[in-house]
Amino acid sequence: MEISETQNKMVPPRHIAIIMDGNGRWAEQHGYLRVKGHEVGAETVDRMVSACAEIGVEVLTLYAFSSENWQRPALEVAALMRLLRHYLRRETKRLIEKNIRLRAIGRLERLDSAVRKELEEACRKTSSGSGMILNLAISYGGRDEICDAAAAICREVQSGKYTCDEVDEKLINAHLDTSGLPDPDIMIRTGGEFRISNFLLWQLAYAELYFSDTLWPDFSKDELLRIIDDFQQRERRFGRVIERGKYERDR
Ligand code: IPE
Ligand code: IPE
Ligand code: MG
C-alpha cells in the first residue's frame, strides 16, 4: 500500500504512540539472545520514524524503556542503554536531515551520565527541527509522571502561585512531561499483549487503541499504514453524540 492511498482520505493522525514490545520473544524464536532482539528492534524504530515523518505525523512517541524495566537483569539493562547511546550517536545526523526534533520523557535523572549526556546532546542538536517530534519515553512510567506533576503543583500552591481551586486539566497537562504535545490519537502495542504497562496513563484517555500480534522487530510500514487507514474509518465521539462525518474534537 502506498502512503498516498492512505493519506488522501483524511488528515494524518497528529500523534502516534507505540509500545514497542516483543523484542525478547523475537530473539528467542530465532535462536538468539534477547539483546539481538533489541538490536533488530532498533531497525524497526528507524523504519517507523521515517514512515511517520513522511506521512506527516506531528508527534511519534516511542516507549523505549519503562520505569519497571529497571528491574530486568543488569546485563539486559546495560545492553539497552548501550543500544540507546548507539542509536542517538548514529541517528542524530539523520534526524537533523529529516528536520525531526528529538524530545525525551521519563525520569531521565536515573540514566547514567554518559547516556544522559548523549540524549541531551541529541535533543539540543535537533532542537531547531520544525518537522515531526520524536518523543522517546525512557525510564518512563505514567504513574511517576503523574506523581511528579502532582508534587510540582503542590509546591506551586504552597508558594501561593495557584489556589487549589485552580487545579484543572489544563494545569495538570502543563506539568506533565508531555506538556505542549497533543494527546495521542493512536496507541499501538505490538507483541500480542493487551495491556498499557504504565504508558501515558493520563494522555491516552481518548486514544484509539491497536494491539498487534506482530513482534516489534517484524513490525512493518505496511502494518502501520493499515492501522492508520483503520483509524481514519473510526468515528471518535469523545463522549458526545455528533453529526455524521464530524470526527474532530473541536475544543
Ligand atoms: C520490548 O521488548 C523492549 C523493552 C521493553 C525494552 P521486550 O524485551 O519486552 O520483549 P518481550 O516482551 O520479552 O518479547
Ligand atoms: C512495556 O513492555 C515497556 C516497553 C515496551 C518499553 P514490557 O515488556 O516491559 O511490559 P510488560 O512487562 O509485558 O507489561
Ligand atoms: Mg515485553
Side-chain angles (χ1 to χ4, degrees):
M1 196 196 310
E2 280 308 309
I3 285 173
S4 55
E5 280 179 47
T6 305
Q7 215 183 358
N8 282 341
K9 289 184 191 148
M10 258 171 264
V11 286
R14 292 185 69 190
H15 185 171
I16 296 180
I18 307 182
I19 301 178
M20 311 183 285
D21 197 24
N23 291 348
R25 277 163 288 160
W26 183 93
E28 280 156 25
Q29 284 174 14
H30 289 78
Y32 298 123
L33 295 174
R34 291 178 58 84
V35 175
K36 176 75 176 171
H38 298 312
E39 281 170 16
V40 180
E43 293 169 22
T44 309
V45 170
D46 290 343
R47 289 200 300 276
M48 290 310 117
V49 169
S50 301
C52 287
E54 233 178 288
I55 291 163
V57 169
E58 284 174 43
V59 185
L60 172 64
T61 296
L62 297 177
Y63 203 7
F65 192 86
S66 73
S67 48
E68 287 72 27
N69 289 151
W70 287 112
Q71 298 167 67
R72 291 192 178 194
L75 271 178
E76 182 166 345
V77 172
L80 283 164
M81 293 300 146
R82 181 172 40 78
L83 270 173
L84 177 61
R85 270 177 72 191
H86 285 174
Y87 174 83
L88 294 168
R89 217 173 280 164
R90 196 182 66 227
E91 288 304 310
T92 302
K93 202 164 152 253
R94 224 165 340 148
L95 295 178
I96 295 168
E97 279 162 16
K98 290 185 174 146
N99 201 24
I100 294 172
R101 176 151 57 101
L102 187 72
R103 177 168 168 164
I105 59 172
R107 289 200 170 154
L108 307 177
E109 65 278 8
R110 285 192 73 180
L111 300 173
D112 86 42
S113 58
V115 180
R116 215 170 59 221
K117 217 175 122 218
E118 201 81 51
L119 186 60
E120 283 165 2
E121 190 91 323
C123 290
R124 190 182 54 74
K125 285 183 178 161
T126 61
S127 62
S128 58
S130 57
M132 186 176 83
I133 294 172
L134 172 59
N135 185 34
L136 294 182
I138 305 167
S139 183
Y140 174 87
R143 288 184 171 182
D144 280 352
E145 184 190 31
I146 292 169
C147 290
D148 290 346
I153 292 170
C154 283
R155 283 192 293 273
E156 290 177 354
V157 167
Q158 251 173 355
S159 74
K161 188 169 176 189
Y162 302 107
T163 66
C164 288
D165 293 337
E166 286 175 301
V167 178
D168 60 6
E169 257 190 55
K170 202 169 149 218
L171 193 71
I172 292 176
N173 268 323
H175 285 79
L176 294 173
D177 292 359
T178 51
S179 165
L181 301 178
D183 283 345
D185 300 297
I186 296 179
M187 195 291 296
I188 302 168
R189 182 176 187 140
T190 62
E193 312 284 2
F194 292 89
R195 54 177 173 260
I196 300 293
S197 301
N198 206 6
F199 187 43
L200 299 176
L201 297 179
W202 170 277
Q203 297 88 337
L204 291 178
Y206 266 104
E208 299 294 324
L209 307 180
Y210 289 87
F211 295 92
S212 164
D213 286 334
T214 307
L215 303 173
W216 178 248
D218 291 329
F219 193 70
S220 65
K221 186 162 115 180
D222 265 2
E223 190 167 353
L224 174 75
L225 293 176
R226 278 197 297 276
I227 289 172
I228 293 175
D229 202 34
D230 182 277
F231 166 79
Q232 289 175 328
Q233 316 301 323
R234 288 196 188 183
E235 186 177 74
R236 304 179 78 192
R237 290 185 288 273
F238 299 102
R240 304 183 220 163
V241 177
I242 55 171
E243 300 153 36
R244 286 278 131 233
K246 191 176 176 199
Y247 290 83
E248 294 302 324
R249 199 182 196 186
D250 56 11
R251 59 170 204 168

